[in-house]
Amino acid sequence: MNILTLAPGSVTLADLRRIYREGSALRLHRSAKPRIEASAKVIADAANGAVPVYGVNTGFGKLASIRIAPEDTATLQRNLILSHCAGVGEPIPAAITRLMMALKLLSLGRGASGVRWQLIELLEEMLARDVTPVVPAQGSVGASGDLAPLAHMTAVIIGEGEAMVKGQRLPGAKALAAVGLAPIPLGPKEGLAFINGTQFSTAFALAGLFDAWTAAQSALVISSLSTDAIMGSTAPLHPEIHELRGHAGQIEAAATMRALLEGSVIRESHREGDSRVQDPYCIRCQPQVTGAAMDVLRQAGRTLEIEANAATDNPLVLSSTGEIVSGGNFHAEPVGFAADMTALAISEIGAIAQRRIALMVDPVLSFDLPAFLTPKPGLNSGYMIAEVTSAALMSENKHLATPCVTDSTPTSANQEDHVSMAAHGARRLARMNENLQRILGIELLCAAQGVEFRSPLPTSPALQRVIAALRADVPRLVDDRYVAPELEAAARLVAQGTIAAAAQVALPEFGA
């Protein structure tokens, strides 16, 4: 297994994407150790002192006024984890759990949480030896931290809960033992440090962001194919149009589409004498829409990159003074906003893609393509209902794009009276991305079919490679056949980045 060594506070989106996509394990750079150990000593001293310190020698939440005796601090932390293992629903995907564990390591690695180094090492080894806690999907409101899901993760560290090891679901202690590890009892504040944080919400938001970016890249490729299928104009891609507006994503989207369509004989065939003055917005305004979505995704990415490097538990040990100070970094409002922004971008990429599908199957609007892209309309229905499916998915995503961060409810006897709802705001991105991948897959099928109807005129070399990649899995539709598996196959090609890569054209990246 590949192991990344990362310095807390300087991790990039590219690093995080590797952990998510490749399942890389993580070790903290050893330069983080002195600060981690120093903060742990501050907490240990406070646990034995006379001054009440939240979560160290007091109860939690509404029970913060109750003092805990030094001999009970270990029991306090164990009880905290067990009582907070109150999540429900299906286990989250292993890739998300591993990303969440990595994010927790990075947060603890800032040296403000007061945990012992041996806990850092155990979490590192769990990643390296593929011990994946079973974490239920539901139960977090995104403040004070993702308490329930992070408690399920932490339970395995103390030998409780459950984990997946070598394909088996085992009790926590047995899962650790299966790979030669042992549980570690928690000391003062350590349970609180593990469950007070935004790592569940941030992991889901990052996964949603990464998948949305792959979809956005694919959308630029597929929409270029759709443009040739309906013999659309490339005049709206003129660079000066986009430079006059100045938005980076729009400029990049137009440049990418120009490169994708370069050398298309279909385009050259109607450059002169075309009776159409302007194309519909779903063709003409592609850079303005997909480019704007890319800008939004990048903005969300900047927020999530900051959050991935943040110390988000409470209280925190301040290195400048050695004080232990209560704050609210566990509140996942920034993550909630980023998730809502990502949802809006996903929805809009799908909305304009669906209109291109509708355009291509409509013989009134498709510039002489046969109805529903079948050679024998009437006898065959072609992609008639595939277009309906895309409309259903588009509408579903519109509903799912409704902001979650604006919804709050008081919890914990009104102590936690405003929450972010970032957890399910981020979780819904997976479903939205699946819908978007299927919309783009349907557009891919329609666009390839449309371009093939323009034969003997060929599309550009880049887009010919895209069609070849599709046709390796899905043959051209001649007579009606059972198409559901083909829709899924096309969606997979989108999700895996195969279509984007097939064009062999430089595509926009996060860092641009």
Side-chain angles (χ1 to χ4, degrees):
M1 179 181 293
N2 184 36
I3 298 178
L4 299 178
T5 299
L6 299 176
S10 60
V11 173
T12 67
L13 288 175
D15 295 326
L16 297 165
R17 184 160 50 181
R18 284 183 65 187
I19 294 170
Y20 173 59
R21 295 265 193 231
E22 300 172 19
S24 300
L26 170 65
R27 293 195 187 279
L28 297 186
H29 194 281
R30 270 28 194 176
S31 61
K33 186 176 181 179
R35 189 164 173 170
I36 291 172
E37 291 183 325
S39 70
K41 184 178 185 306
V42 172
I43 293 297
D45 291 343
N48 294 313
V51 178
V53 179
Y54 174 71
V56 177
N57 53 16
T58 74
F60 307 105
K62 197 73 170 180
L63 305 176
S65 60
I66 299 175
R67 286 293 301 274
I68 306 298
E71 63 269 20
D72 290 330
T73 54
T75 302
L76 174 70
Q77 298 301 315
R78 178 179 175 83
N79 288 348
L80 173 70
I81 300 306
L82 297 178
S83 66
H84 284 53
C85 285
V88 298
E90 294 297 314
I92 66 175
I96 302 286
T97 304
R98 290 180 59 82
L99 181 56
M100 178 176 72
M101 294 164 71
L103 291 169
K104 178 52 73 175
L105 268 174
L106 293 168
S107 180
L108 298 176
R110 294 297 300 272
S113 301
V115 303
R116 290 166 294 162
W117 182 253
Q118 65 189 105
L119 286 167
I120 299 291
E121 290 180 315
L122 178 55
L123 196 54
E124 288 177 340
E125 288 303 319
M126 287 170 63
L127 281 168
R129 304 187 196 192
D130 208 13
V131 178
T132 306
V134 175
V135 178
Q138 295 168 282
S140 174
V141 294
S144 86
D146 295 316
L147 296 171
L150 288 171
H152 283 276
M153 179 196 80
T154 309
V156 178
I157 290 172
I158 64 172
E160 299 290 345
E162 295 180 298
M164 298 299 298
V165 180
K166 300 174 183 176
Q168 287 186 293
R169 183 167 174 165
L170 299 173
K174 289 185 177 180
L176 293 174
V179 295
L181 298 174
I184 298 177
L186 298 174
K189 191 193 172 286
E190 288 176 334
L192 194 60
F194 269 88
I195 70 172
N196 234 195
T198 66
Q199 287 74 38
F200 176 90
S201 297
T202 305
F204 269 101
L206 283 167
L209 176 72
F210 297 148
D211 291 344
W213 191 263
T214 298
Q217 291 178 318
S218 299
L220 291 175
V221 174
I222 296 166
S223 63
S224 298
L225 196 61
S226 298
T227 299
D228 242 11
I230 63 102
M231 289 189 154
S233 174
T234 55
L237 301 178
H238 194 290
E240 192 170 349
I241 292 175
H242 307 285
E243 289 162 5
L244 283 167
R245 197 174 198 187
H247 291 295
Q250 178 180 330
I251 292 168
E252 285 179 279
T256 301
M257 292 184 69
R258 288 196 302 274
L260 287 161
L261 285 158
E262 180 68 31
S264 169
V265 176
I266 294 175
R267 173 62 188 119
E268 296 305 318
S269 71
H270 62 97
R271 195 176 289 276
E272 302 293 336
D274 195 329
S275 61
R276 298 168 297 172
V277 178
Q278 294 185 131
D279 291 319
Y281 289 178
C282 67
I283 298 295
R284 194 180 354 145
C285 300
Q286 292 173 82
Q288 288 82 355
V289 176
T290 305
M294 287 161 47
D295 284 339
V296 168
L297 291 174
R298 282 187 175 132
Q299 186 176 346
R302 285 191 290 273
T303 296
L304 294 175
E305 186 175 75
I306 292 169
E307 190 72 8
N309 285 285
T312 57
D313 63 283
N314 178 61
L316 292 172
V317 180
L318 306 185
S319 60
S320 58
T321 63
E323 294 176 279
I324 304 170
V325 182
S326 287
N329 281 5
F330 51 73
H331 200 298
E333 195 82 356
V335 182
F337 276 123
D340 284 346
M341 292 162 59
T342 303
L344 292 171
I346 292 169
S347 181
E348 280 300 276
I349 293 170
I352 194 169
Q354 199 284 325
R355 296 317 305 153
R356 291 191 294 267
I357 297 167
L359 185 71
M360 287 185 282
V361 300
D362 187 343
V364 176
L365 300 174
S366 65
F367 203 58
D368 299 328
L369 290 176
F372 304 107
L373 299 168
T374 176
K376 300 175 183 177
L379 178 63
N380 293 296
S381 296
Y383 286 122
M384 177 190 293
I385 304 305
E387 186 271 328
V388 174
T389 296
S390 74
L393 296 172
M394 173 192 69
S395 183
E396 184 176 315
N397 269 5
K398 287 180 181 178
H399 288 280
L400 290 170
T402 301
C404 293
V405 79
T406 53
D407 179 31
S408 178
T409 188
T411 62
S412 194
N414 282 302
Q415 177 75 4
E416 298 157 9
D417 59 350
H418 181 278
V419 298
S420 71
M421 298 301 178
H424 63 265
R427 278 197 304 112
R428 84 356 179 131
L429 299 179
R431 180 176 167 190
M432 293 186 71
N433 273 316
E434 287 176 358
N435 289 344
L436 176 57
Q437 291 155 4
R438 290 178 172 124
I439 292 169
L440 292 173
I442 293 169
E443 183 187 1
L444 173 63
L445 292 170
C446 291
Q449 187 92 346
V451 164
E452 287 166 340
F453 275 120
R454 302 299 183 187
S455 180
L457 301 177
T459 187
S460 69
L463 296 178
Q464 288 178 49
R465 291 190 289 270
V466 170
I467 294 174
L470 171 66
R471 293 298 178 230
D473 282 8
V474 181
R476 183 167 181 254
L477 185 65
V478 180
D479 295 317
D480 283 351
R481 59 177 182 256
Y482 186 63
V483 295
E486 297 176 3
L487 269 57
E488 293 298 327
R492 279 195 300 275
L493 292 173
V494 172
Q496 294 167 357
T498 304
I499 291 304
Q504 299 176 26
V505 167
L507 299 171
E509 290 291 347
F510 272 128

